[in-house]
Amino acid sequence: MESIKLDILAFGAHPDDVELGCAGTLLKEIALGKKVGLIDLTQGELGTRGSVEIRYQEAAKAAKILGVAVRENLKMRDGFFVNDEAHQLQVIQMIRKYKPEIVLCNAINDRHIDHSKGSQLVSDACFLSGLQKIETFLAGELQAVWRPKVVYHYIQWATIEPDFVVDISGFMEKKKEAILAYDSQFYNPTTQEPQTPIATKNFLESIHYRSQDLGRLIGTDFAEGFTTERYVAVSSLTKLM
């Protein structure tokens, strides 16, 4: 079965995780001509605000703003998915389907338990996807093995020291536009829905000032941070920013 090959495949445990964690980086890579796709592990059905139907509409709107090539939802159980064979095989199917060079996934440790679970699940699946004796099928056809070259973890609620940062100057406003596509989830002083940790004015403002602070540290306007599973290599000292 033929499918589009992607340069970057970004996974999020919930719709809006990717937008919050690495939308600026994805926008920059898309502007540079890279093909990018998004995979949501769950439908966010346990979210206090909104509904599954609303979240799908918001996710589609955000995907259009970002300009990604594809977006899929694996419909794992929000809050209760686990890192086991069945769930790993679902992720492996997506990796082999889209053959990304780079995979981005949830924070290695975070307030929401699904974030660290999703982080390890995707990381493990990226390794297993390269093993010949693990067979997966899509539309009845045996998939070819594929292992991404690198796996990077974006940063979410918790303050984690990044292993590297990406300058996203010029893309911050578009990132915020993609985030605010999820208007059921974030700060709105007129809503009657219950307040949640991410629905506060402080959280909304933190998206800006956290990226601004990372930018300050590297001498740019805005940046996003990532952690790695192995050393980041440069071809020469002159390739450093």
Side-chain angles (χ1 to χ4, degrees):
M1 179 180 178
E2 292 295 322
S3 61
I4 184 172
K5 184 191 179 306
L6 300 175
D7 298 299
I8 302 170
L9 186 57
F11 287 84
H14 313 102
D16 77 22
D17 282 356
V18 169
E19 287 83 354
L20 288 166
C22 62
T25 299
L26 296 182
L27 284 162
K28 185 171 189 175
E29 294 296 334
I30 290 168
L32 292 170
K34 297 294 195 301
K35 287 188 174 66
V36 174
L38 307 182
I39 305 292
D40 302 310
L41 301 182
T42 78
Q43 301 173 97
E45 64 268 23
L46 293 184
T48 302
R49 296 155 66 107
S51 65
V52 169
E53 293 74 19
I54 289 172
R55 296 294 286 275
Y56 271 112
Q57 294 168 8
E58 293 170 340
K61 182 179 178 181
K64 185 174 182 180
I65 291 167
L66 293 173
V68 298
V70 293
R71 183 169 207 157
E72 293 199 42
N73 195 302
L74 297 185
K75 299 181 181 179
M76 296 178 183
R77 287 186 67 200
D78 190 9
F80 294 99
F81 72 85
V82 294
N83 183 10
D84 64 2
E85 180 181 356
H87 290 83
Q88 289 164 359
L89 289 171
Q90 280 187 270
V91 177
I92 290 169
Q93 281 186 319
M94 295 297 101
I95 294 167
R96 291 177 173 178
K97 178 179 181 180
Y98 292 114
K99 298 178 171 57
E101 304 297 322
I102 297 170
V103 163
L104 305 181
C105 57
N106 285 97
I108 54 174
N109 182 41
D110 214 40
R111 182 185 68 86
H112 198 302
I113 61 171
D114 281 356
H115 295 172
S116 57
K117 284 194 298 179
S119 175
Q120 193 61 53
L121 167 61
V122 172
S123 178
D124 289 350
C126 284
F127 175 79
L128 294 171
S129 184
L131 299 182
Q132 291 279 355
K133 291 185 178 179
I134 295 178
E135 294 186 346
T136 56
F137 296 83
L138 193 64
E141 294 187 18
L142 179 66
Q143 292 183 296
V145 299
W146 183 268
R147 182 177 291 151
K149 291 178 180 176
V150 291
V151 178
Y152 298 138
H153 303 261
Y154 47 84
I155 295 171
Q156 299 181 258
W157 178 275
T159 300
I160 297 174
E161 184 175 354
D163 293 318
F164 70 92
V165 296
V166 177
D167 175 17
I168 62 165
S169 302
F171 297 95
M172 191 63 200
E173 291 307 310
K174 201 76 169 178
K175 169 178 175 162
K176 288 193 284 188
E177 184 183 347
I179 291 168
L180 291 175
Y182 297 90
D183 55 9
S184 71
Q185 300 303 301
F186 300 111
Y187 177 68
N188 179 352
T190 66
T191 186
Q192 299 301 310
E193 293 221 58
Q195 189 177 83
T196 68
I198 66 169
T200 64
K201 184 179 181 182
N202 182 46
F203 178 79
L204 198 58
E205 291 175 346
S206 76
I207 296 165
H208 183 95
Y209 68 66
R210 289 182 75 179
S211 290
Q212 189 174 43
D213 192 50
L214 281 176
R216 173 186 66 83
L217 293 171
I218 62 169
T220 68
D221 292 332
F222 299 99
E224 289 175 336
F226 298 84
T227 61
T228 66
E229 300 183 6
R230 63 187 188 199
Y231 291 133
V232 175
V234 295
S235 58
S236 72
L237 291 178
T238 60
K239 297 300 183 181
L240 293 169
M241 180 174 169

